[in-house]
Amino acid sequence: MIVAIDGPTAAGKGTLARLLARDLGFAYLDTGSLYRAVGLALLRTGHSPDDEAAAVAAARSLGSDLLTDPGLRDEATGNAASRVAAMPAVRAALLDYQREFARRPPGGARGAVLDGRDIGTVVCPDATVKLFVTAAPEVRARRRHLELSGRGEDVPFAQVLADLNERDRRDQARAAAPLRPAPDAHLLDTSDLAIDAALARAKAIIAGRM
Ligand code: CDP
């Protein structure tokens, strides 16, 4: 059983995916953290996020230290992640790990939940259930702003909204695995849904497919 969850930045897919995995007893992979770790590796070593050779090298040698680094969630890391994510060689370097996780979930779990941008389209086109989670840009910017200030990162709201629009544009326009719903994905708009309502909606969709 593979549950694929895709959608734009701050749509609430990470929270939803984590809760679904918990309730289903599945393993969970936040694939965005892989791209974030590559972005963070570049920032930490003084490389530009547009340095493709350095990004590919980082993607090929990702260690658990970076994947658990608190800097992973920083706004700057997210922006660097979206730049390296546009490089086909970086995506190729991260593909096997994601597919292997889905095929053989760690800990003997009988299924996996993966969230990202291209899970239903590229990583797991045969996923049992595909969800495409969205919300209006202003709603997503408000959530991201709240998350950042909760972590003590004071980015002005207008800046968060501008970053988010820029990231959406880049994720959708890139040639390699652009952000778009798979033809067989169920759309879930969380603009007016609290997390428990979104979770209930997602579970109903999954139950219908199991
Ligand atoms: O949490 P947020 O939605 O801001 O971002 P994320 O899911 O952590 O992903 C960070 C960046 O990685 C995104 O802007 C995408 O460009 C990229 N990404 C991707 O290209 N493919 C994935 N499967 C996951 C993330």
Side-chain angles (χ1 to χ4, degrees):
M1 277 276 316
I2 300 172
V3 179
I5 305 185
D6 292 304
T9 185
K13 61 191 186 313
T15 310
L16 188 64
R18 196 167 288 113
L19 293 173
L20 279 174
R22 184 198 65 188
D23 292 356
L24 294 166
F26 287 6
Y28 167 54
L29 180 63
D30 165 11
T31 66
S33 69
L34 304 175
Y35 295 91
R36 283 175 175 269
V38 175
L40 185 60
L42 297 188
L43 296 177
R44 288 275 165 83
T45 52
H47 288 93
S48 153
D50 296 319
D51 184 332
E52 182 152 1
V56 173
R60 290 193 179 138
S61 61
L62 272 191
S64 53
D65 49 335
L66 275 176
L67 287 166
T68 51
D69 193 298
L72 219 55
R73 305 307 315 167
D74 290 352
E75 183 70 350
T77 306
N79 291 328
S82 128
R83 306 189 88 89
V84 301
M87 302 170 184
V90 167
R91 307 197 69 85
L94 299 175
L95 191 57
D96 282 351
Y97 176 78
Q98 299 173 73
R99 288 205 171 135
E100 190 54 27
F101 187 101
R103 206 172 296 139
R104 268 183 284 277
R110 54 188 188 90
V113 180
L114 285 82
D115 84 53
R117 302 291 188 283
D118 62 338
I119 308 304
T121 50
V122 175
V123 179
C124 303
D126 299 327
T128 325
V129 191
K130 300 178 186 179
L131 300 176
F132 194 85
V133 183
T134 59
E138 286 72 21
V139 176
R140 292 189 280 124
R142 222 179 303 131
R143 289 178 187 159
R144 176 52 47 88
H145 187 243
L146 214 75
E147 178 198 335
L148 289 170
S149 33
R151 303 176 52 242
E153 205 182 337
D154 283 316
V155 186
F157 176 79
Q159 178 70 51
V160 173
L161 181 60
D163 281 356
L164 184 136
N165 283 324
E166 169 66 12
R167 193 112 74 84
D168 279 358
R169 194 202 53 73
R170 204 185 295 123
D171 288 352
Q172 286 161 2
R174 70 184 178 213
L179 169 68
R180 60 179 168 78
D184 52 346
H186 298 262
L187 297 187
L188 184 56
D189 188 326
T190 67
S191 300
D192 301 313
L193 293 182
I195 184 62
D196 48 344
L199 182 64
R201 201 72 70 83
K203 279 181 170 169
I205 294 169
I206 292 170
R209 302 278 311 172
M210 274 171 97

